[in-house]
Amino acid sequence: MFERGKNEVARVPEKTVGETIVGTSVRLKGNLKSDGPIVIDGIVTGEIRTKDSVKIGPNANIIASIKAKNVVVSGAVQGNIEATQRLEITETGKVLGDVAAAVLSIAAGAVFSGKSQMSEGHHKEVVIEPVLEEPEEVSSKTEKIKVAK
Amino acid sequence: MYYYIVNPAAGGAKINKIQDKLTERLKKLGIMGEFVKSTGPDDVAKLARLGIERGYKTIVAVGGDGTINEVMNAIIDNEKIVLGIIPTGTTNDLADALGINDWFSATGILASRKVEQIDLGKVGNRFFVTSVTVGFDSKIAGLRRLSKGNIADRLRFRLGIFKEATAFKPMDTTIKFDDNYEVDAECFNVIVSNSHFFPLKSVKTEPNDNFLDTVVVTKIPGSKALKYGYMADTATIDLPKISVFHSKRIAISTKKPMSVSVDGQVIGKTPASIKMAEKKLRVIVSRSRKF
């Protein structure tokens, strides 16, 4: 989807049947509903619903609520997110809104402003990578915090 | 008995080169029938209706996607009629999707007679099997047949593609899907398909999934437009900046009217309303069809 170099053919990733893709420089307005995975690299205003996964690319700009099984946010989302399984906000992700997920993962550098709610499930786990630089003598491994039942 | 409607102009008059071998093969397989030749685009539909009046239950389109589209639109109201295909055209996307790769294997497929029902789309009053395009593909639809012609034709093809690729301005496009959402973009090409996407090899569809698949290609550099235009019929090209949507209804409008082509033939201009058709097409397919 992204041009990588002069001599390289820009390759579009292999797609499964039913994947919805909102490419860069595309503006979508309304209720985007699908049974399959959704990948967004453009601008979406409204609602996003799927029984599958939603992947928000680093250049995406979303003003919408999102409801899906798994959600990965690498761009900007202004709206509430509900993931029945896992919500991941990567280092370039920015979420301004409330979130609910069985597993919530927020990478170092991510921006999150809102309330979070852990839904009922087999795992109650929050993975938060350290934001500040670790002092030299402390391990820089990711800290897993298990939430007691 | 089979009724063969031949488009003598298809594929640069390919039928002239294969006619004797074709009839010999059909005789050998025991599926000879009545042969008729069309004299123009409107004639194909008339011949198809004539075949139905004469009581034929299998109408075979001998030509490319355009010929198949003409035959299909003529027979679609009669549910008992089965469509057969012998691909001889410049573009043979439907035949390819159904596993019918060339005229020779098509004869074996006709003889084995595996019949499937496939989805159809409708744009206005016209049914389509493969795709509706708006944008660059429609602009160059008329040039594609030159790519299989003689040296002079092929030179005209390349010069024509160069001219269109360098002059093409992206269209301000709005597309509505199922009254659920709307997409705005500056588009190089919009392809609405219920079959194998052409020419984007990394995007696949299922002809029988009851959805239409829309590929939107936004603004691309002239060099990529040129490469896109020059590719061979069955070659595909990876492109950046594509979007893919799935729906049952699509409404395409453009700031300036743009040509709309259906199964490779220009039929009008935007705005265009496209939807899944209720009718399905019974067609003889290969046992090794790729969906």
Side-chain angles (χ1 to χ4, degrees), chain B:
Chain B
M1 278 270 277
Y2 289 11
Y3 184 77
Y4 295 88
I5 301 175
V6 177
N7 178 354
K14 185 169 180 173
I15 192 64
N16 294 341
K17 297 169 199 165
I18 64 167
Q19 192 165 324
D20 292 341
K21 288 180 201 168
L22 175 62
T23 48
E24 192 185 318
R25 173 84 177 146
L26 293 174
K27 270 184 206 162
K28 193 175 173 182
L29 291 170
I31 52 170
M32 265 305 278
E34 184 176 349
F35 274 77
V36 292
K37 273 190 188 176
S38 68
T39 54
D42 295 333
D43 203 39
V44 170
K46 281 183 206 160
L47 290 171
R49 285 190 287 270
L50 189 61
I52 296 170
E53 278 170 30
R54 288 187 187 169
Y56 288 100
K57 295 285 181 261
T58 303
I59 311 285
V60 181
V62 184
D65 286 338
T67 310
I68 296 168
N69 184 269
E70 293 284 339
V71 171
M72 182 262 296
N73 273 279
I75 68 174
I76 193 62
D77 286 329
N78 194 319
E79 289 169 357
K80 294 195 167 108
I81 303 297
V82 172
L83 174 68
I85 297 168
I86 296 179
T88 62
T90 307
T91 56
N92 300 294
D93 291 344
L94 177 62
D96 190 47
L98 297 173
I100 307 167
N101 298 319
D102 52 71
W103 71 265
F104 186 83
S105 58
T107 57
I109 289 161
L110 286 175
S112 68
R113 205 176 166 83
K114 177 176 165 54
V115 178
E116 283 261 356
Q117 273 197 328
I118 60 174
D119 293 337
L120 291 178
K122 201 171 182 185
V123 52
N125 288 326
R126 194 163 176 135
F127 293 94
F128 68 91
V129 184
T130 60
S131 60
V132 175
T133 60
V134 176
F136 190 72
D137 271 347
S138 299
K139 268 278 192 182
I140 65 169
L143 291 172
R144 287 259 174 246
R145 60 180 177 77
L146 295 175
S147 66
K148 298 278 172 79
N150 55 31
I151 294 174
D153 280 344
R154 291 201 298 270
L155 184 61
R156 271 199 289 276
F157 167 71
R158 293 190 80 83
L159 288 172
I161 295 293
F162 180 84
K163 184 183 161 196
E164 294 295 347
T166 48
F168 190 82
K169 298 267 181 284
M171 353 168 248
D172 283 329
T173 311
T174 299
I175 310 171
K176 290 186 186 170
F177 296 93
D178 283 337
D179 297 326
N180 283 338
Y181 58 91
E182 175 177 301
V183 160
D184 287 301
E186 280 186 298
C187 294
F188 168 74
N189 217 15
V190 178
I191 307 163
V192 180
S193 170
N194 75 341
S195 183
H196 175 71
F197 279 114
F198 171 77
L200 302 166
K201 68 178 173 186
S202 55
V203 183
K204 296 194 191 311
T205 58
E206 291 278 343
N208 293 339
D209 66 359
N210 223 30
F211 277 93
L212 292 168
D213 304 287
T214 303
V215 177
V216 176
V217 183
T218 49
K219 199 162 61 171
I220 58 174
S223 56
K224 289 221 184 282
L226 202 56
K227 192 175 177 187
Y228 183 101
Y230 284 153
M231 66 184 180
D233 284 342
T234 54
T236 54
I237 185 171
D238 288 325
L239 289 174
K241 298 188 181 178
I242 71 161
S243 300
V244 179
F245 305 97
H246 311 282
S247 63
K248 303 215 178 192
R249 288 190 320 276
I250 299 112
I252 303 176
S253 58
T254 50
K255 198 170 177 182
K256 292 181 188 170
M258 298 293 292
S259 296
V260 177
S261 64
V262 170
D263 287 342
Q265 291 188 311
V266 176
I267 59 147
K269 289 200 182 285
T270 50
S273 290
I274 306 158
K275 62 181 182 180
M276 284 302 303
E278 285 170 13
K279 293 181 195 269
K280 290 188 185 281
L281 179 69
R282 295 181 70 214
V283 60
I284 299 172
V285 304
S286 163
R287 290 182 188 280
S288 62
R289 74 188 192 284
K290 51 182 179 188
F291 285 152

Side-chain angles (χ1 to χ4, degrees), chain A residues 14 17 20 22 25-26 49 67 73 77 95 100 128 130 134-135 145:
Chain A
E14 283 295 324
V17 172
T20 299
V22 181
S25 54
V26 169
R49 299 281 182 271
K67 209 168 176 178
V73 179
V77 175
V95 173
I128 303 173
E134 296 285 352
I145 303 166

Side-chain angles (χ1 to χ4, degrees), chain A:
Chain A
M1 177 103 34
F2 308 103
E3 294 190 18
R4 286 176 196 154
K6 206 171 147 185
N7 297 321
E8 244 183 275
V9 172
R11 298 206 71 84
V12 180
E14 283 295 324
K15 308 216 180 357
T16 55
V17 172
E19 187 173 47
T20 299
I21 302 167
V22 181
T24 55
S25 54
V26 169
R27 297 169 297 280
L28 186 151
K29 196 168 53 179
N31 301 328
L32 175 55
K33 287 180 211 172
S34 173
D35 285 339
I38 298 175
V39 176
I40 302 174
D41 293 298
I43 301 169
V44 173
T45 312
E47 268 187 10
I48 301 166
R49 299 281 182 271
T50 178
K51 295 172 190 170
D52 206 296
S53 62
V54 174
K55 194 173 170 186
I56 311 290
N59 297 318
N61 203 327
I62 314 291
I63 305 175
S65 61
I66 302 172
K67 209 168 176 178
K69 191 159 76 174
N70 296 301
V71 181
V72 177
V73 179
S74 300
V77 175
Q78 207 175 306
N80 298 336
I81 303 176
E82 188 183 327
T84 54
Q85 285 188 5
R86 183 184 172 94
L87 167 60
E88 182 184 342
I89 308 173
T90 68
E91 60 183 12
T92 57
K94 187 195 247 186
V95 173
L96 305 176
D98 299 338
V99 303
V103 174
L104 175 59
S105 169
I106 303 175
V111 172
F112 169 45
S113 175
K115 290 183 230 168
S116 73
Q117 184 184 328
M118 310 302 294
S119 51
E120 292 290 326
H122 294 293
H123 304 284
K124 288 190 178 180
E125 193 172 311
V126 173
V127 178
I128 303 173
E129 292 190 17
V131 174
L132 301 172
E133 278 183 18
E134 296 285 352
E136 278 182 15
E137 60 271 23
V138 175
S139 162
S140 61
K141 262 189 177 177
T142 303
E143 217 176 342
K144 278 197 182 180
I145 303 166
K146 285 203 176 156
V147 176
K149 280 190 184 178

